[in-house]
Amino acid sequence: QGRVFRDIKLENESWHSRQKLLKALGHSELTFHGSDQDVQNLAQYITSRTLISKTGIDYIGLKDDVFVAKGVNITNTGIDTNPSIELYIRGSENLADEYDLSRVCDDKEYLDVARPIYESLPKINDPETIYPLIGWNALAPIRDKIMDIIGVFPIGNVAGEAGSGKTASLEKFGMLNGAIDGTVHDCRITKFALLHLVSSTNGIPIILDEYKESTMDKPTVTAIKDILRGVYRGEVTKRGHADQSVSSYKLQAPVLISGEYKIDETAIRERSIHVGFKKKSLKIAAYVEAFEKLDAVDLGVFQPRYIQYLLGADLPKYFDSAQSHFVGDKTFKTLNPRVQNNWLVLHVGLSVWYDYGVSLGLQPEAIPYSKIFKTQAEELGYNTLGYMLRDVDKLMEHLANMAEHDLIQSGREFAIIDGKLLIHPKSILPALRKYSQSHNLDIFVMDESSFRTQLKDAEYFDLFDKKLVDGKQKRW
């Protein structure tokens, strides 16, 4: 009828049957009335007339040593906007349309972007908060290369109270990775949408925001946790359809989960690099100023050249250097191998990011590794001497948060007298049990006798004694 339909890509699989051909064409105006055999004949005819054939992949990221995105191939030798490997992800609204990694500029323009990134990004929050994000994000584009070396890639596990700047900061990292609008995804999407998302890339961080277990239904929570465990090792999961066909999904994306409360399940905690945001940080003028400077920069220009640099990095050498850094570290020696790998990845990511700044002629600030890994240890429940905290120690750490939110009250469950913290076990244990359940903490709240026994062995324990508090005599 004289109409022309351009830029319709047909994968090899689309020629296997009439049904698949019609589905791939995707337009109601485009029909084919022949049989399956006619489709095969048509395929042969098309093949005989096609002068150019290209390799195609259905995910953003690494294909061998080439980073493939919409309209661009990036190698360690350059950025090609006439790609030899085509990207094709099914669906009208897909991840490929949300990212632009094809933008190029001259050296001066690039430095005008890179300089404020290196000067301001590390200063938008506390070092122990922002550097783990930088280190994790720095290796996300080459997740598969990290997998080839250690077999895993850690989850980014972000937590912080409402209004602590999590989402705004994560949007900046999204834009740094080429997102057109700093895309973060609400984690309450369907399991199918989530599977499609994490299988659509192996080099773009998927940021899942608004994780709040207490307000989410159980199937969604279960699906998210299953996917988090799966992406750590890049597992393949299958999903059946009504027509009895089966789709395979490779859980291959670097995934970061963010919410008001961290996922405290041991299996996920040990697969994570931890980031904690605090509301009070937003009141620090220097942090606000650094964020405003970052806000004025076109962050999307940064990533293509950075990926080019990453593809030429000597990763085994960086991992050897990371291993050397932790020689003699008491805490590192006590960690299980899974957590040790996470720490090595974080160290390598920070080192590569630092060296890229140096290669540009910039002067990045020294990275406070000791402070960063001390915080990581605390998040995992280790003290500064490298010993694993017991349940009683973990419970005691939550008391401040409970008091701050009026879940325990002075004079009832606790009191502070002469610089000492007094707790009333009979009152505080029910409150701890309720708090643990509502926040899904992976901590055992023991009976009063066991609690007292464990508490007596703690280095911060003083004594059990009767005290008159608010006119009432109790044993504290």
Side-chain angles (χ1 to χ4, degrees), residues 28 65 157 290 343 446 468:
S28 58
D65 288 322
N157 201 339
W343 284 28
M446 61 216 81
L468 190 68

Side-chain angles (χ1 to χ4, degrees), residues 64-187:
D64 300 322
D65 288 322
V66 181
F67 192 96
V68 182
K70 188 175 182 179
V72 67
N73 286 177
I74 304 172
T75 66
N76 64 345
T77 57
I79 300 166
D80 187 0
T81 52
N82 183 25
S84 58
I85 302 176
E86 287 278 357
L87 176 67
Y88 174 64
I89 301 177
R90 288 191 184 95
S92 55
E93 292 184 14
N94 61 63
L95 202 63
D97 296 326
E98 297 176 8
Y99 288 84
D100 183 3
L101 289 166
S102 63
R103 297 166 64 193
V104 292
C105 60
D106 62 36
D107 291 350
K108 182 183 180 303
E109 289 173 319
Y110 188 78
L111 273 178
D112 288 343
V113 170
R115 184 175 287 107
I117 288 174
Y118 272 86
E119 288 176 354
S120 300
L121 185 60
K123 296 178 183 175
I124 65 172
N125 213 305
D126 299 330
E128 61 270 31
T129 296
I130 203 66
Y131 274 113
L133 266 180
I134 291 173
W136 181 85
N137 191 76
L139 294 183
I142 54 169
R143 172 192 176 277
D144 273 20
K145 287 187 175 291
I146 302 301
M147 297 279 290
D148 289 342
I149 295 173
I150 60 172
V152 299
F153 191 82
I155 303 156
N157 201 339
V158 178
E161 58 195 310
S164 58
K166 299 186 303 298
T167 302
S169 299
L170 293 175
E171 283 180 346
K172 285 286 170 279
F173 279 92
M175 295 175 76
L176 195 64
N177 285 300
I180 295 169
D181 61 355
T183 306
V184 297
H185 302 270
D186 193 317
C187 65

Side-chain angles (χ1 to χ4, degrees), residues 235-473:
E235 296 171 2
V236 176
T237 188
K238 297 183 185 297
R239 185 176 186 272
H241 302 291
D243 62 358
Q244 295 188 331
S245 62
V246 176
S247 297
S248 294
Y249 296 90
K250 186 173 183 184
L251 309 181
Q252 60 181 356
V255 175
L256 183 146
I257 185 102
S258 171
E260 288 184 32
Y261 303 103
K262 62 187 176 185
I263 303 180
D264 218 14
E265 183 179 303
T266 302
I268 292 174
R269 195 171 63 222
E270 291 183 350
R271 288 169 166 82
S272 301
I273 286 172
H274 299 274
V275 181
F277 279 81
K278 303 177 187 70
K279 201 170 184 177
K280 62 182 181 181
S281 299
L282 295 183
K283 298 177 182 177
I284 299 174
Y287 294 174
V288 175
E289 184 183 346
F291 193 90
E292 288 172 350
K293 287 181 179 178
L294 205 61
D295 218 19
V297 177
D298 186 2
L299 299 174
V301 175
F302 178 82
Q303 196 72 349
R305 285 202 196 188
Y306 175 68
I307 292 174
Q308 181 184 340
Y309 177 84
L310 269 182
L311 293 173
D314 187 347
L315 293 176
K317 181 180 176 183
Y318 275 105
F319 272 94
D320 288 343
S321 176
Q323 287 278 9
S324 300
H325 175 85
F326 291 113
V327 169
D329 188 306
K330 290 181 180 178
T331 304
F332 188 79
K333 287 179 180 177
T334 63
L335 301 174
N336 67 43
R338 180 185 292 159
V339 180
Q340 287 180 345
N341 282 334
N342 298 342
W343 284 28
L344 292 174
V345 169
L346 178 52
H347 189 284
V348 170
L350 288 169
S351 300
V352 172
W353 190 79
Y354 180 90
D355 287 351
Y356 181 60
V358 172
S359 76
L360 294 174
L362 304 175
Q363 294 180 318
E365 288 197 6
I367 296 172
Y369 289 106
S370 59
K371 182 181 285 189
I372 292 165
F373 288 104
K374 178 176 178 286
T375 303
Q376 292 297 306
E378 290 170 353
E379 289 283 354
L380 286 164
Y382 287 82
N383 66 15
T384 53
L385 299 174
Y387 298 115
M388 189 70 182
L389 295 176
R390 302 163 305 154
D391 282 328
V392 70
D393 303 319
K394 295 176 186 177
L395 289 170
M396 295 298 289
E397 286 189 344
H398 287 282
L399 295 187
N401 193 44
M402 291 172 70
E404 188 178 343
H405 290 86
D406 295 324
L407 301 175
I408 53 176
Q409 293 179 9
S410 178
R412 189 177 67 190
E413 288 93 358
F414 77 97
I416 297 175
I417 298 176
D418 298 331
K420 290 184 179 181
L421 172 66
L422 278 63
I423 62 170
H424 186 239
K426 196 176 290 292
S427 303
I428 212 161
L429 283 170
L432 279 166
R433 196 168 286 113
K434 184 178 179 182
Y435 178 80
S436 178
Q437 290 170 350
S438 64
H439 290 71
N440 201 38
L441 301 182
D442 188 23
I443 304 172
F444 172 64
V445 183
M446 61 216 81
D447 58 77
E448 186 181 345
S449 176
S450 300
F451 183 78
R452 286 172 180 262
T453 302
Q454 275 207 24
L455 197 57
K456 283 180 179 178
D457 292 333
E459 60 185 19
Y460 46 82
F461 172 76
D462 187 12
L463 78 160
F464 281 115
D465 197 8
K466 285 185 176 179
K467 290 276 185 183
L468 190 68
V469 177
D470 290 348
K472 292 181 180 179
Q473 185 90 344

